[in-house]
Amino acid sequence: MVRLITHNLLACHVKGCNSNNFPLEFKDVQIELREAEFNPDFLKGFMPKLEWKALVDAARQLGDTSLPLELPEMLDDDFLKNLHHVLLEIHVEEGTMTCPNCKHEYPILNGIPNMLLAEHEIG
Amino acid sequence: MALKYLIVFAQVHHEFRIPELRSIAELHGFTFSLPPSPEDQDPTRPYMVLDLDEEEHALILARRCILIKSVYEFYGQGSTYEELHASNRKNQARWARYVTDTSFRFIVTAYNHKIPQARQSEVVESFSYMGFLGKIDMKNPEILLGCFEEYTDRSGITRSKHEGDGQFRQVYFGRLLEEGSARALVGKFNVKKRVYYGNTSMESEISLLMANQTLACPGKLIYDPFMGTGSTAYPTMHFGAFMFGSDIDGRQMRGKEKVPGVIRAAKQYGTASRMMDICTFDVTRNPWRCGGLFDAIVTDPPYGVRAGAKRLGRKKELSEAQLALYMEYRNKPRSDDQPYFPPTKPYELSSLAVDLVLLARYLLKPNGRLVFFLPTVTEEYEEVDIHLMLCEGMEVIANSLQDFGSWGRRLVTIRKNTDREYPPPSFDQELQAPSTHIPAHKDFREKYFQGFKKEGEDVPVLE
């Protein structure tokens, strides 16, 4: 778990950490690949919500270079299959996600990220 | 032209029936009409005749609605058998094709009553004018004809076995089109057979009804912000949707084994790949980068009887000296096996409900739905309680009571009826506009433990 689709939606939410707080940086990660059902309509519907560069960077960091740096205009089948794989089939099981701005570390344990904030971080 | 179908409902959760029919019709893009008279629309009655455009729609309802026992092609009804037969004759065009060579079986049954065997045979005989020539086959008939007498509820009245026989309120007749197959899911998702559950897990039938209210289907992304042991997730994923869950208490989702409990349960149902992700966070301090993400939000918020709602923070703020001590403690390195648990404070139910609607308006796509349970005190509940939680862009489309006597819980379905984008809520109770109306669900926990006594009444002291 912690699929890249989830990683693409989570920003640091420490009190006052409002800029440069996304994407969180993966560190010391263990990944697993697991098959998911291919649903092109879901992918197309979700694309407007994605931060493309953050997704491509995260995928490359985890060793998947199948996505183009620029979002293509034509969404052909090959592209959608690659996007499907990157978004839904790569699972980060262990590691941390670090805020590029305030350096808060969000640990991932057995696939569940702990996004709880400490007392002094909620203001 | 509309076709009429007789719906036989399961005798439970009657307030949930019509909302469920409406949801499944909307999900599949068709409409239906209720019977014209208010008396025939009464959702407490076990039989209802619906107008549908196509037979296919009746099949869809039978295969997806949890509360449908069976669907019959409608041939006739009446308050007497004379009326029934007259109406059945008018519909001859619908049954004429079965006259010449179709094996059949005939059942005569009643709701709130048992018809003596002899009269059952009489009733069957009374249909002889239909002239069915096919053979009667009790085991594998090609068609099943059903005749249903509806009696008013006479429970609590002592009477002899067949007293009042024939004094039914209405009688219906039709051909079985489809047995309701979705009811079997109530057994499939039975909590006791689930590999992982907790003391607040919700019974399967209710969680299936919730899933239908979300319009779950393949390609949708649905979120539960108070996921707990995942009760809302399993039926939703069964219907094909992706599910995202979060909870302030990760232990609820994890359980004690290495593979998190909610994942193990999802695997049991063959839907683990649809569990998009689960995260530990307080929804009032959430990390969502943007809104407009979800097709539905479905949740059973903790309301304090078995598990209280909590949010991050302290009941009392720390003094400066305490804060200094705390920061010193925070800055010390800690080993991994001693995770930090931040302090929490109670989250009052009526504030939680208001926040939930605002959060849903932010996180839902246009036309997305918020489906959640709200416990209320039966005697004090007023409809305005629900409407006070609303904000611009959010409208109530269903509100069904599950009645437990002095209290109950309402399954509320709210739709986002706008394309506008809204900011995330502040979750700051002090900023909420004060209202003079106090909803019946305010301080529900305290009221529950006081046995719903009114002010001035004696509160029984527990030994």
Side-chain angles (χ1 to χ4, degrees), chain B residues 75-270:
Chain B
Y75 292 160
Q77 75 178 89
S79 53
T80 62
Y81 271 96
E82 289 70 42
E83 280 179 34
L84 172 73
H85 290 311
S87 118
N88 185 35
R89 283 191 165 97
K90 272 192 211 150
N91 283 320
Q92 187 168 6
R94 293 192 91 179
W95 48 260
R97 60 193 151 135
Y98 302 116
V99 167
T100 49
D101 189 24
T102 307
S103 66
F104 65 97
R105 184 183 165 197
F106 213 112
I107 55 162
V108 180
T109 178
Y111 171 70
N112 275 335
H113 181 70
K114 190 164 168 39
I115 308 173
Q117 194 65 47
R119 199 169 66 79
Q120 289 187 27
S121 311
E122 266 174 48
V123 169
V124 175
E125 285 303 314
S126 75
F127 284 92
S128 58
Y129 62 88
M130 292 172 79
F132 273 41
L133 299 168
K135 70 170 176 153
I136 295 172
D137 184 337
M138 299 306 278
K139 276 207 179 125
N140 292 304
E142 286 166 71
I143 60 167
L144 177 84
L145 298 166
C147 182
F148 305 94
E149 295 178 2
E150 177 197 356
Y151 291 75
T152 49
D153 185 8
R154 292 163 298 175
S155 57
I157 305 166
T158 314
R159 60 194 163 92
S160 66
K161 195 174 174 192
H162 296 304
E163 195 180 304
D165 182 47
Q167 293 168 16
F168 47 81
R169 180 176 180 186
Q170 191 74 204
V171 57
Y172 301 87
F173 179 61
R175 173 184 67 89
L176 179 66
L177 178 69
E178 182 94 349
E179 295 281 2
S181 45
R183 278 203 72 67
L185 296 174
V186 176
K188 174 174 176 173
F189 288 99
N190 185 340
V191 174
K192 287 180 190 160
K193 291 188 255 166
R194 193 174 295 164
V195 297
Y196 180 71
Y197 59 90
N199 64 349
T200 56
S201 293
M202 187 172 11
E203 67 264 37
S204 64
E205 186 163 16
I206 291 288
S207 58
L208 283 157
L209 289 171
M210 290 180 90
N212 272 348
Q213 285 304 97
T214 67
L215 310 185
C217 68
K220 286 194 176 168
L221 181 57
I222 297 180
Y223 174 41
D224 184 347
F226 300 98
M227 188 184 218
T229 53
S231 302
T232 61
Y234 313 118
T236 313
M237 296 189 295
H238 172 82
F239 293 129
F242 284 118
M243 190 76 197
F244 199 103
S246 72
D247 202 294
I248 191 172
D249 187 351
R251 295 169 299 184
Q252 287 281 325
M253 302 184 287
R254 286 178 193 278
K256 288 181 176 157
E257 293 175 33
K258 179 167 163 38
V259 177
V262 293
I263 303 292
R264 286 188 284 123
K267 275 189 186 147
Q268 177 188 1
Y269 299 126

Side-chain angles (χ1 to χ4, degrees), chain A residues 9-13 106 115, chain B residues 279 281-282 285-290:
Chain A
L9 298 175
L10 300 177
C12 179
H13 54 300
Y106 298 98
M115 309 296 292
Chain B
C279 272
F281 59 78
D282 172 4
R285 306 281 176 184
N286 70 69
W288 295 116
R289 172 173 63 76
C290 60

